């Protein structure tokens, strides 16, 4: 496969890198909320501990979603560097330009994503 003529590869690369930087910045800020929760009853009540545990679980889930998106971004950047960006990793057909413009990190065409 070769570079697609209908894609502005440089613009896509900039978008992917900017999104990666944004995700890394958010991840760094949220690090405190993923730390172990203090379970000392002298420090906080039972409901406060439950709330803290729930907040920790939500923060950890958000971090997992960010990590998955970062992995998709890194893979898309590698496909750009290899000249394979814009092609479905499953079937090899071109991914619709509108789909790539919406999310440049998508690895599959709409048919393969639905199947």
């Amino acid at each position: 496969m070769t570079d697609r003529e209908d894609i502005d590869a440089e613009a896509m690369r900039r978008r992917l890198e900017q999104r990666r930087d944004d995700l890394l910045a958010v991840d760094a800020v949220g690090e405190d909320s993923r730390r172990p929760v203090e379970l000392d009853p002298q420090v906080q009540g039972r409901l406060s501990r439950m709330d803290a545990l729930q907040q920790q679980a939500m923060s950890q889930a958000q971090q997992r979603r960010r990590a998955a998106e970062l992995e998709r971004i890194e893979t898309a950047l590698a496909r750009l560097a290899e000249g394979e960006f814009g092609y479905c990793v499953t079937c090899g057909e071109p991914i619709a330009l509108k789909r790539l413009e919406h999310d440049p990190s998508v690895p599959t065409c709409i048919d393969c994503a639905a199947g």
Side-chain angles (χ1 to χ4, degrees), residues 12-26:
M12 291 291 182
R13 184 189 60 74
R14 284 192 307 270
R15 282 186 60 200
L16 287 164
E17 289 173 345
Q18 181 61 52
R19 181 64 181 152
R20 178 186 59 195
D21 294 346
D22 292 346
L23 288 170
L24 291 172
V26 168

Side-chain angles (χ1 to χ4, degrees), residues 35-95:
R35 292 194 178 160
V37 175
E38 179 67 44
L39 296 177
D40 184 2
Q42 305 299 324
V43 175
Q44 59 190 165
R46 183 176 59 90
L47 292 178
S48 294
R49 285 191 310 276
M50 289 173 52
D51 185 48
L53 288 169
Q54 182 181 23
Q55 290 296 325
Q56 178 193 42
M58 289 176 15
S59 179
Q60 289 170 342
Q62 289 172 336
Q63 195 278 330
R64 285 189 297 273
R65 285 191 296 276
R66 281 191 300 273
E69 186 174 355
L70 281 168
E71 186 175 328
R72 284 192 313 273
I73 289 170
E74 292 299 335
T75 303
L77 287 167
R79 287 193 313 268
L80 263 169
E82 296 165 3
E84 297 178 0
F85 182 81
Y87 294 96
C88 179
V89 297
T90 303
C91 70
E93 292 297 316
I95 299 172

